[in-house]
Amino acid sequence: MTEVKIQGQQTILSDKSHTGKIRPWREKKIGNQLLAMAYEDVNPRKAARLRECACYLIFRKLVDGMKLQEMNSCRVRLCPMCAWRRSLKIYSHVRRIMDGMETERSYRYIFLTLTVRTCQGADLQNTIDGMMSAWQRLVRLMSVRRAVKGWYRGLEITHDTEPLISGKRYRTNPKYYKSMGLNVGDANPNYDLYHPHFHCVLAVNSRYFKTDEYITHEKWVELWRKSMRLDYDPVADVRRVSGNTAKDVAEVAKYAVKDGDYIVPDDWDLTVETVRLLDRVLENRRLVAYGGKFKEWHKRLNLDDEMDGDLIHVEDEEEADAKEKPEIVTYVWNVGYNQYLRANE
Ligand SMILES: [Zn+2]
């Protein structure tokens, strides 16, 4: 491993996963600091907690690479550092649950995304409350209970922070903008609107697609519409998991809110107001939930809670090297350099 040093003195953190991916510690800590600044106006106590988050990292050296042994986690819902660790944890949990279930019998998996229309910030709380109740109604419906043997449900909220229609945005859906007589450079009609939606993994019997348990896309739209008590057809996306399960699971185990959707350095007022709103809306909310076989295996595997549990051991454990005295390395966040620097050398 090549070490990069500052002024020939301290080593800069370089932590790679076994697949060679650089773990984004620095990027997440920078996001965490911006969020702490926004929280100064929203909730100074949370701002202080955020500043303490991952301010030092203690790793154990492995034959190849390093493994996190200790860090402080603030667990503020919006913290980019904690959200990243949490998404890794959810990913690893969902995969382990699915592996466990497969030892019992063979299942097929479906990815289901359930949405409602975009809403104003003022309506976000109510909209999410409505979705949570609707989900409970949905999974109790006879046809769903018959088809779905287990489920994982994650909440994601996207927030549109672009005041104007960019060329890139226009090209993703020209028909939509044309239908409203809008062009590149015009005011974005969805600016500052929120889009809460559920990402779900459903386990079904291996013969599901060939039986009358099968729920078509149209039927999902109808069931969700009924459960949500809507007067319009909501958008639902149903996909069968075919090949790359790992990639698909990573898709659903995403962040509740991407930091780019609330940290908008060009518009600090928007940042603070968005943080204020999301902080309130996400407080004490179950962002991820499990049901049926997923819930059963979550318990059986003794997995801890993704929201309140430990955010250190979040990746699949590979305890290959049982060295007597592992070498410990500590990195400390340096505000001036905006880098993690090695402490004990
Ligand atoms: Zn944190």
Side-chain angles (χ1 to χ4, degrees):
M1 185 165 59
T2 46
E3 292 187 330
V4 183
K5 295 182 181 231
I6 281 179
Q7 298 172 337
Q9 307 244 325
Q10 280 175 293
T11 309
I12 295 173
L13 172 64
S14 161
D15 178 24
K16 285 182 191 161
S17 72
H18 58 273
T19 56
K21 236 175 118 184
I22 293 173
R23 294 195 178 96
W25 291 107
R26 175 173 186 254
E27 183 194 327
K28 297 301 167 190
K29 186 59 189 165
I30 290 173
N32 155 284
Q33 288 195 306
L34 285 168
L35 184 66
M37 266 166 68
Y39 261 103
E40 291 296 351
D41 290 332
V42 175
N43 182 333
R45 276 177 53 214
K46 279 191 184 168
R49 258 166 69 197
L50 278 154
R51 287 188 205 285
E52 290 293 307
C53 183
C55 56
Y56 66 90
L57 306 169
I58 300 177
F59 295 93
R60 193 154 46 89
K61 274 207 165 175
L62 303 177
V63 179
D64 93 70
M66 304 192 291
K67 186 170 173 54
L68 184 67
Q69 175 133 324
E70 206 186 310
M71 73 178 266
N72 244 336
S73 310
C74 70
R75 291 192 176 82
V76 171
R77 293 276 165 103
L78 289 175
C79 171
M81 180 66 78
C82 292
W84 165 54
R85 308 296 297 165
R86 197 178 292 122
S87 75
L88 292 175
K89 185 163 187 150
I90 294 169
Y91 172 75
S92 136
H93 282 185
V94 173
R95 294 224 59 197
R96 285 172 66 191
I97 288 169
M98 286 164 76
D99 287 346
M101 284 168 60
E102 288 300 318
T103 61
E104 269 187 334
R105 61 184 293 175
S106 160
Y107 292 95
R108 291 284 176 278
Y109 299 93
I110 297 170
F111 287 105
L112 176 67
T113 308
L114 296 172
T115 76
V116 293
R117 279 185 185 154
T118 51
C119 67
Q120 304 273 357
D123 299 324
L124 186 59
Q125 182 92 278
N126 279 339
T127 305
I128 298 174
D129 285 344
M131 289 172 69
M132 293 291 183
S133 314
W135 175 261
Q136 291 307 323
R137 286 193 285 272
L138 180 77
V139 293
R140 284 195 204 116
L141 292 174
M142 186 52 90
S143 51
V144 176
R145 268 171 40 206
R146 225 159 61 94
V148 177
K149 306 302 170 194
W151 52 264
Y152 157 86
R153 190 221 69 207
L155 171 69
E156 187 185 348
I157 305 166
T158 54
H159 175 221
D160 201 326
T161 60
E162 277 181 17
L164 304 176
I165 302 168
S166 65
K168 193 177 159 202
R169 173 187 288 267
Y170 187 86
R171 284 191 297 276
T172 59
N173 199 350
K175 256 191 198 160
Y176 169 74
Y177 294 107
K178 263 183 205 152
S179 74
M180 289 191 289
L182 294 170
N183 231 312
V184 176
D186 288 342
N188 172 11
N190 291 301
Y191 174 63
D192 203 18
L193 293 185
Y194 290 84
H195 185 54
H197 49 281
F198 285 142
H199 287 291
C200 317
V201 186
L202 312 177
V204 293
N205 282 332
S206 54
R207 290 186 43 77
Y208 165 78
F209 296 99
K210 295 191 182 92
T211 63
D212 64 350
E213 287 179 1
Y214 180 66
I215 301 173
T216 61
H217 174 255
E218 291 72 35
K219 188 74 184 166
W220 278 116
V221 171
E222 186 196 317
L223 295 175
W224 181 234
R225 176 184 168 139
K226 209 163 96 183
S227 304
M228 262 314 282
R229 296 168 180 164
L230 299 171
D231 58 2
Y232 62 89
D233 278 343
V235 175
D237 182 75
V238 194
R239 273 186 300 136
R240 190 192 294 214
V241 178
S242 40
N244 199 341
T245 324
K247 198 172 145 256
D248 283 332
V249 171
E251 281 268 307
V252 295
K254 282 189 302 195
Y255 303 179
V257 198
K258 288 186 205 81
D259 42 8
D261 282 10
Y262 52 87
I263 299 171
V264 193
D266 294 344
D267 189 341
W268 197 248
D269 289 341
L270 180 69
T271 302
V272 172
E273 285 324 304
T274 306
V275 167
R276 195 188 304 282
L277 173 74
L278 290 173
D279 180 74
R280 186 165 51 82
V281 166
L282 296 179
E283 184 85 19
N284 300 321
R285 184 94 64 189
R286 275 227 78 69
L287 302 181
V288 297
Y290 299 89
K293 282 279 165 196
F294 273 75
K295 192 173 182 176
E296 191 186 310
W297 274 91
H298 193 281
K299 209 171 165 188
R300 234 164 119 172
L301 292 167
N302 215 2
L303 303 175
D304 65 353
D305 187 87
E306 290 84 6
M307 298 317 294
D308 306 316
D310 145 37
L311 292 175
I312 296 170
H313 307 99
V314 294
E315 290 178 88
D316 292 333
E317 305 291 286
E318 279 166 70
E319 296 294 336
D321 61 325
K323 275 192 213 158
E324 279 286 301
K325 267 192 189 155
E327 193 189 337
I328 298 295
V329 276
T330 303
Y331 286 86
V332 178
W333 179 250
N334 185 297
V335 177
Y337 285 117
N338 255 347
Q339 288 281 8
Y340 280 104
L341 301 180
R342 188 163 165 178
N344 50 343
E345 59 183 351

